[in-house]
Structures are given as structure tokens and as C-alpha cells.
DNA sequence: TCGGCTTTTCCTGGTT
DNA sequence: AAACCAGGAAAAGCCG
């Protein structure tokens, strides 16, 4: 449920990849990793906006709640502001999830440490990253919820009957295909930048280079955004991924849906290469 | 303009 | 039934 790939993409992507200057972390990446404590100095009162979002992701993940079910923009606040919110404020900001959040932050305020499992994410300052896709964002004209329903982008537009499988290839809009970043590099960079990966893809086996798409359509939309192609789908993205098998950039992982593995010709994904 | 390369689009058929 | 996988075919788009 929480990993449904096609639901409420816009809100999450807007919150995560949008023009806001901070990004939530990827909590999903953490499952399966040993827990760890927040650093002592990271008491919630002193959290940055980024850390607030990170905490949000973690709580949602802990409770198996789809992170996109709450409006992250309501938490575009720093730790000091967060700690000053009342129970009612949380309810207003996040609905029923608000009580979970309120409870969590109340405990953190007391303990000054996070007892939740947050995995072994590298909490690096935003600036330390050379963003692999600095142009990636979701301008409102593209991800305006009023324009885009929560349905996946693969849906035919309401005005066009579903004739997409007709043999006469429809007159396609010209797509430019800027070289520079290949698809597999784009995927790799998402994996390597958890701060910018809102649970889109996660490592299954970090040392072996095995990873899994958590939100396949969201990744496809992100890729489409990068390529200026609003009709990108996971179906099409995955076809491109399959071409990588022959080239040794990816290796097949049989029997596991949405799971891929970097091959011998993929560079830059190993920790030792970073 | 051409060829190579990568990706996109569409497709059939199979699997989970 | 929906989502995904496999891979053929053809075309788009970029680049040298």
C-alpha cells in the first residue's frame, strides 16, 4: 500500500524534488539497515528544515504510512518551529497522522535523541552534494494537482480516446534527448543521493549493486522530467533498462520484480568509487 | 548528410 | 486484473 507506485506522486515529488531549498530524506532506504541514534547535538529544537523533513520521512516509514499522504509543505519549518507546534497544529497539518507525529516529537523533545531506526544514511549537508540533476524540479505548471490528477502520467489524456496502441504511429511531439546523463547514471545518482531520493529506489544489496524500484512510476516521471518528456512511463523506462543487460551495465535479477543489478560496465556506484 | 549510439515508442506474449 | 518482464522492431534524437 505504502509503496504503490502510482499514487499521489505529485505531492511527494513536489515536496521532494520541487524548488524548495531543502529536501526530505529517504527513509525507505533504511529498512533492513541497523538502527542508529541521532547525534547528540541533533535535538529537534535545533533541526534544520531538512532534518524536519527527514524526521517526517522516518516516522512515516516506521509506521508504514505512505509519505505522500501528508503534505510535506505544511512542515516547511525548522526544528524550533516544529517543537512549538501544538497537538492541534499537528492534526491540522497532517490529519490523523498528526497524532503520531506529535507523539514522536514529544518523545524526542524529552530524550533529545531519536530512538527510531533511521538506518545508516549519511547525513551530509546539502551543499556537499554536487547535485546530479540540478535542473530537476517540478514546476507547478507540470505538477499542478489541479491539472494532474493523482493518476499516473501514463493515463491517456481525457481528451484523447485510448488509441495509443493503434498501428498508425501518432504524430509524436519532438523530444530532445540531451546527452550527458544516461538513464543508468540517472538511476545511480538517485541511489547515491539519499537526500534527494524520497523513497524512489533503494539498495537491496549495496555491495553487490542490487537495487529495487519502490516507486517505479515516480522514477519514470522524474526521468521524463529530466528529458523533457512528460509521457515517460515505467514501461518505457524499463525497456531502456533491459537494453543495458547486453551491454553489461545491468545484470538480470531473475524472479524479482523491479529489481536490477549493476553490471561490470557500470561505473561509479560502488562505495569505494565514490 | 550520414552513421553510430542511446533512448523512446509500440508491440506481442509471458509471468507474478 | 493489474503490474511487471522479455525482447523485437522501428523510429527519434543527439553527436561527431
Amino acid at each position: 500500500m505504502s509503496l504503490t507506485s502510482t499514487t499521489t506522486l505529485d505531492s511527494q515529488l513536489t515536496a521532494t524534488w520541487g524548488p524548495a531549498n531543502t529536501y526530505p530524506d529517504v527513509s525507505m532506504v533504511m529498512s533492513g539497515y541497523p538502527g542508529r541514534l541521532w547525534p547528540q547535538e541533533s535535538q529537534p529544537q535545533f533541526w534544520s528544515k531538512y532534518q524536519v523533513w527527514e524526521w517526517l520521512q522516518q516516522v512515516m516509514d516506521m509506521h508504514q504510512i505512505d509519505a505522500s499522504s501528508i503534505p510535506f509543505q505544511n512542515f516547511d519549518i525548522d526544528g524550533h518551529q516544529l517543537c512549538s507546534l501544538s497537538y492541534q497544529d499537528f492534526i491540522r497539518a497532517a490529519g490523523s497522522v498528526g497524532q503520531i507525529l506529535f507523539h514522536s516529537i514529544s518523545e524526542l523533545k524529552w530524550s533529545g535523541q531519536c530512538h527510531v531506526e533511521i538506518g545508516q544514511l549519511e547525513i551530509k549537508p546539502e551543499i556537499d552534494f554536487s547535485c546530479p540533476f540540478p535542473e530537476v524540479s517540478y514546476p507547478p505548471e507540470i505538477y499542478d494537482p489541479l491539472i494532474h490528477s493523482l493518476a499516473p502520467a501514463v493515463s491517456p489524456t481525457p481528451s484523447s480516446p485510448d488509441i495509443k496502441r493503434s498501428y498508425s504511429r501518432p504524430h509524436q511531439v519532438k523530444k530532445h534527448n540531451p546527452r550527458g546523463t544516461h538513464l543508468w547514471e540517472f538511476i545511480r545518482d538517485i541511489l547515491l543521493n539519499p537526500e534527494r531520493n524520497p523513497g524512489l529506489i533503494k539498495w537491496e544489496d549495496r555491495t553487490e549493486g542490487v537495487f529495487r524500484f519502490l516507486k517505479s512510476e515516480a522514477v519514470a516521471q522524474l526521468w521524463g522530467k529530466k528529458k523533457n518528456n512528460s509521457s515517460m512511463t515505467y514501461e518505457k523506462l524499463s525497456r531502456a533498462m533491459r537494453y543495458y543487460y547486453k551491454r553489461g551495465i545491468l545484470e538480470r535479477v531473475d524472479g524479482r520484480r523491479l529489481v536490477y543489478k549493476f553490471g561490470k560496465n557500470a561505473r561509479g556506484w560502488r562505495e569505494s568509487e565514490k
Side-chain angles (χ1 to χ4, degrees), chain A residues 210-261:
Chain A
V210 180
F211 58 93
R212 180 163 60 93
F213 283 76
L214 298 174
K215 296 180 188 302
S216 53
E217 287 300 339
V219 175
Q221 287 184 32
L222 208 52
W223 174 241
K225 177 67 180 68
K226 183 172 179 58
K227 301 289 291 291
N228 194 28
N229 177 357
S230 60
S231 63
M232 179 51 61
T233 65
Y234 177 71
E235 187 76 19
K236 291 184 274 194
L237 182 151
S238 64
R239 181 68 190 96
M241 296 286 278
R242 289 193 291 274
Y243 273 123
Y244 288 143
Y245 294 145
K246 271 189 174 179
R247 297 168 55 197
I249 291 171
L250 293 177
E251 294 176 16
R252 281 193 189 75
V253 178
D254 290 329
R256 302 197 59 199
R257 291 180 150 210
L258 302 172
V259 176
Y260 298 85
K261 180 181 190 299

Side-chain angles (χ1 to χ4, degrees), chain A residues 118-137:
Chain A
I118 73 162
Q120 59 172 44
L121 290 171
E122 298 171 89
I123 311 296
K124 297 178 183 173
E126 171 97 4
I127 287 166
D128 286 356
F129 272 103
S130 54
C131 176
F133 10 78
E135 77 283 19
V136 168
S137 63

Side-chain angles (χ1 to χ4, degrees), chain A residues 5-168:
Chain A
S5 55
T6 56
T7 55
T8 59
L9 294 178
D10 60 335
S11 58
Q12 182 175 14
L13 290 172
T14 301
T16 309
W17 296 85
N21 55 359
T22 55
Y23 299 86
D25 200 356
V26 181
S27 52
M28 307 272 192
V29 185
M30 316 172 202
S31 52
Y33 289 101
R36 107 166 172 197
L37 298 178
W38 281 96
Q40 187 74 33
E41 66 270 20
S42 291
Q43 294 174 18
Q45 290 88 343
F46 305 112
W47 285 351
S48 63
K49 288 181 178 181
Y50 161 71
Q51 287 171 302
V52 169
W53 279 20
E54 186 182 35
W55 160 79
L56 268 175
Q57 280 279 175
Q58 290 157 13
V59 174
M60 303 299 278
D61 197 40
M62 271 184 63
H63 293 270
Q64 303 278 296
I65 302 167
D66 189 342
S68 61
S69 65
I70 64 164
F72 269 72
Q73 62 270 27
N74 286 355
F75 291 91
D76 187 25
I77 55 179
D78 61 27
H80 179 75
Q81 293 168 294
L82 182 75
C83 289
S84 68
L85 295 182
S86 68
Y87 177 82
Q88 284 304 322
D89 291 330
F90 274 97
I91 297 299
R92 270 192 292 272
S96 58
V97 181
Q99 61 179 305
I100 296 171
L101 298 174
F102 178 74
H103 183 252
S104 172
I105 200 63
S106 298
E107 284 193 7
L108 291 176
K109 277 194 283 188
W110 268 100
S111 65
Q113 285 189 333
C114 183
H115 64 285
V116 300
E117 292 201 343
I118 73 162
Q120 59 172 44
L121 290 171
E122 298 171 89
I123 311 296
K124 297 178 183 173
E126 171 97 4
I127 287 166
D128 286 356
F129 272 103
S130 54
C131 176
F133 10 78
E135 77 283 19
V136 168
S137 63
Y138 284 97
E141 68 271 19
I142 293 177
Y143 281 91
D144 186 340
L146 296 175
I147 299 170
H148 281 250
S149 69
L150 299 180
V154 290
S155 303
T157 56
S159 59
S160 63
D162 189 5
I163 54 172
K164 58 181 177 171
R165 300 283 186 187
S166 68
Y167 278 91
S168 60

